[in-house]
């Protein structure tokens, strides 16, 4: 309790005592002496009360400055205290959330409506240093859960920017005008113009919902203990990353999927170049030159290249008479080469041909924007697994994809 509040309560007690003594028309010597002592104490409390208010006001101001200047590191430390285990137990057994987990959930609820328990994106990060408590007698020692295999994250490696939107839609205006400079033809001549300055809108809309369902058996809940939190987090993180990567590049724009880079290339005016030949360093070098000509890149080191693993297989053979391969030449000249069997579809046709995607971050602007709305909404189905005592969780999140400047991306087709 604040010191000022304690003093205020004591002053209230003194006033009540003085009122009782003052109601006596013939006070005794003891009552008169007590009235004097209470009056002196009340005056002293008045001075202490003013001093406490001044001191607490200073403390409030300092605390306010500290909150306003809270760094990203402090926010990360707060999120590090969020426990997925508490969410699972709250949904399964109705356990009460406590500590930082309760604080974060309360804050998220105040900013948006959730049917279940809101889970911040940061909680899906894999944390190091957390172990399962030991020392409990158990005839069988349960080792850490072995995770499933998920494809590695590709979107971030290709320069995509993750944007978290609170409510509504977000637009990115991109300059589309062809404003040019020109010289006056004579001393009194006018310079060329005027030219209209126009922009294109690249919207991110909350139209696509990604869902993940997890069925946790009663045995798992009782056997894994605190280790279940890490397992659930890693599993959800892997599933979301894998589905997101696939949607960013292969999203069809139908059946609930967002429009990915390949399906939306024509609508976003992204250049598609048909190679229709064996993948070679020369073909990728020509694409890098087109980037440089369009002022999107200053060199090969600024370019990211996404390919299928089969392309690596076909290019990593030594060139006749040389000790290097086409692949060696490519990786030495391009900034980053990413191989993925998830982000790009398997080769098709005869001969087998695949796609390649080239991106670059120009002027600090990412080539791709991936929007997410709010937090992950964690919902429990209380009926489906009630007879077996299991726990069924559904994690829902809303996402969308768009691009910035179309010249920062190029798609290569027919890579044999």
């Amino acid at each position: 309790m604040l010191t000022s509040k304690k003093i205020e309560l004591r002053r209230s007690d003194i006033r009540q005592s003085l009122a009782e003594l003052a109601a006596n028309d013939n006070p005794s010597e003891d009552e008169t002496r007590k009235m004097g002592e209470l009056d002196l104490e009340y005056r002293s409390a008045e001075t202490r009360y003013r001093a406490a208010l001044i001191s607490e006001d200073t403390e409030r101001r300092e605390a306010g400055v500290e909150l306003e200047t809270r760094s990203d590191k402090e926010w990360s430390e707060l999120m590090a205290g969020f426990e997925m285990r508490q969410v699972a137990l709250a949904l399964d057994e109705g356990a009460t959330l406590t500590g930082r987990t309760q604080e974060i959930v309360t804050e998220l609820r105040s900013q948006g409506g959730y049917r279940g328990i809101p889970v911040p994106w940061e909680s899906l990060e894999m944390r190091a240093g957390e172990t399962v408590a030991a020392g409990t007698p158990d005839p069988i020692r349960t080792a850490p859960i072995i995770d499933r295999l998920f494809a590695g994250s590709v979107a971030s490696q290709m320069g995509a920017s993750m944007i978290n939107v609170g409510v509504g839609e977000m637009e990115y205006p991109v300059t589309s005008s062809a404003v040019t400079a020109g010289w006056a033809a004579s001393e009194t001549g006018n310079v060329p113009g005027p030219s209209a300055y126009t922009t294109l809108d690249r919207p991110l809309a909350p139209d696509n919902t990604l869902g993940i369902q997890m069925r946790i058996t009663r045995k798992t809940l009782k056997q894994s203990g605190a280790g279940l939190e890490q397992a659930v987090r890693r599993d959800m993180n892997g599933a979301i990353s894998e589905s997101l990567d696939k949607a960013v590049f292969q999203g069809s724009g139908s059946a609930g999927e967002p429009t990915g880079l390949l399906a939306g290339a024509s609508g976003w005016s992204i250049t598609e170049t048909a190679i229709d030949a064996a993948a070679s360093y020369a073909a990728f070098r020509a694409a890098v030159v087109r980037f440089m000509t369009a002022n999107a890149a200053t060199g090969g080191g600024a370019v990211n290249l996404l390919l299928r693993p089969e392309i690596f297989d076909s290019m990593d053979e030594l060139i006749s008479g040389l000790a290097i391969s086409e692949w060696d030449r490519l990786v030495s000249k391009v900034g980053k080469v990413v191989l993925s069997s998830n982000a790009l579809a398997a080769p098709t046709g005869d001969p087998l041909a695949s796609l390649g995607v080239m991106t670059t971050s120009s002027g600090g602007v990412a080539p791709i924007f991936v929007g997410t709305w709010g937090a992950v909404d964690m919902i429990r189905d209380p009926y489906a697994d009630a007879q077996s005592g299991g726990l069924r969780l559904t994690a829902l999140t809303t996402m969308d994809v768009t691009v910035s400047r179309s010249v920062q991306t190029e798609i290569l087709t027919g890579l044999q």
Side-chain angles (χ1 to χ4, degrees):
M1 185 182 296
L2 295 175
T3 303
S4 61
K5 188 64 177 178
K6 294 179 180 178
I7 297 175
E8 186 178 2
L9 293 175
R10 177 54 185 162
R11 290 170 64 205
S12 178
D13 293 338
I14 294 174
R15 286 195 298 269
Q16 184 176 356
S17 299
L18 286 173
E20 294 175 355
L21 294 172
N24 189 355
D25 295 334
N26 297 310
S28 63
E29 293 183 2
D30 292 339
E31 290 175 339
T32 303
R33 183 172 60 256
K34 187 175 182 181
M35 282 191 290
E37 294 174 352
L38 290 175
D39 180 66
L40 181 62
E41 183 181 356
Y42 187 86
R43 294 174 183 275
S44 175
E46 177 70 22
T47 303
R48 292 174 56 224
Y49 179 72
R50 290 196 299 269
L53 287 178
I54 295 173
S55 175
E56 290 167 3
D57 181 67
T58 303
E59 293 176 359
R60 288 191 187 97
R61 292 178 183 273
E62 292 176 353
V65 172
E66 181 181 357
L67 289 175
E68 292 174 0
T69 58
R70 174 175 287 179
S71 64
D72 292 340
K73 180 179 178 182
E74 291 170 323
W75 174 251
S76 298
E77 290 175 352
L78 178 64
M79 284 299 175
F82 189 93
E83 297 182 354
M84 284 288 292
R85 176 172 55 87
Q86 288 197 38
V87 175
L89 292 176
L91 293 173
D92 181 43
E93 305 172 359
T96 303
L97 300 178
T98 60
R100 295 183 180 180
T101 303
Q102 181 187 26
E103 179 182 352
I104 293 170
V105 169
T106 302
E107 179 68 20
L108 289 174
R109 284 192 185 281
S110 68
Q111 298 179 5
Y114 299 94
R115 289 185 58 195
I117 297 179
V119 177
W121 282 93
E122 291 84 351
S123 69
L124 297 180
E125 297 175 354
M126 289 180 285
R127 304 172 186 169
E130 297 183 2
T131 59
V132 179
T136 302
D138 190 346
I140 300 178
R141 184 176 182 274
T142 303
I145 296 175
I146 300 176
D147 301 326
R148 288 184 291 169
L149 289 175
F150 292 105
S153 177
V154 173
S156 59
Q157 297 184 62
M158 291 296 291
S161 177
M162 297 290 292
I163 308 295
N164 188 262
V165 185
V167 178
E169 300 184 5
M170 178 174 287
E171 287 186 340
Y172 289 90
V174 179
T175 301
S176 59
S177 61
V179 177
T180 57
W183 298 95
S186 62
E187 181 179 357
T188 58
N190 294 329
V191 296
S195 300
Y197 189 87
T198 58
T199 60
L200 291 174
D201 290 332
R202 303 295 195 195
L204 286 170
D207 298 332
N208 312 106
T209 299
L210 175 65
I212 301 170
Q213 288 191 336
M214 301 191 71
R215 184 180 180 185
I216 305 174
T217 64
R218 183 173 179 82
K219 178 180 179 180
T220 302
L221 289 169
K222 302 303 180 184
Q223 186 180 48
S224 299
L228 180 63
E229 176 187 348
Q230 281 286 20
V232 170
R233 180 184 294 122
R234 289 193 300 265
D235 215 44
M236 285 190 169
N237 182 54
I240 288 178
S241 297
E242 188 174 72
S243 299
L244 178 60
D245 273 343
K246 190 171 183 178
V248 167
F249 297 98
Q250 297 190 61
S252 62
S254 61
E257 290 185 353
T259 301
L261 199 67
L262 302 178
S266 58
W268 289 321
S269 301
I270 294 175
T271 301
E272 297 182 77
T273 304
I275 304 300
D276 295 335
S280 65
Y281 167 70
F284 297 116
R285 180 183 59 196
V288 172
V289 171
R290 286 192 294 272
F291 264 24
M292 297 172 65
T293 304
N295 297 323
T298 57
V303 176
N304 304 316
L305 178 59
L306 173 61
L307 298 171
R308 287 278 306 187
E310 293 84 352
I311 299 297
F312 160 71
D313 184 37
S314 65
M315 293 182 64
D316 197 30
E317 295 182 1
L318 295 180
I319 302 172
S320 179
L322 298 177
I324 61 173
S325 64
E326 292 282 341
W327 182 259
D328 295 329
R329 299 175 66 188
L330 175 63
V331 297
S332 66
K333 300 295 184 181
V334 176
K336 180 184 294 183
V337 180
V338 182
L339 299 176
S340 175
S341 59
N342 177 58
L344 297 177
T348 58
D350 187 17
L352 291 175
S354 179
L355 298 173
V357 178
M358 301 183 71
T359 64
T360 184
S361 297
S362 181
V365 178
I368 307 169
F369 293 124
V370 181
T372 59
W373 274 259
V376 180
D377 196 357
M378 191 78 69
I379 304 172
R380 180 204 178 192
D381 181 353
Y383 307 108
D385 296 323
Q387 289 181 313
S388 63
L391 173 64
R392 186 167 297 193
L393 300 177
T394 300
L396 299 176
T397 182
T398 302
M399 301 179 178
D400 197 15
V401 180
T402 190
V403 301
S404 55
R405 291 177 288 227
S406 57
V407 295
Q408 290 182 228
T409 305
E410 182 169 338
I411 298 174
L412 307 177
T413 63
L415 294 172
Q416 300 172 3

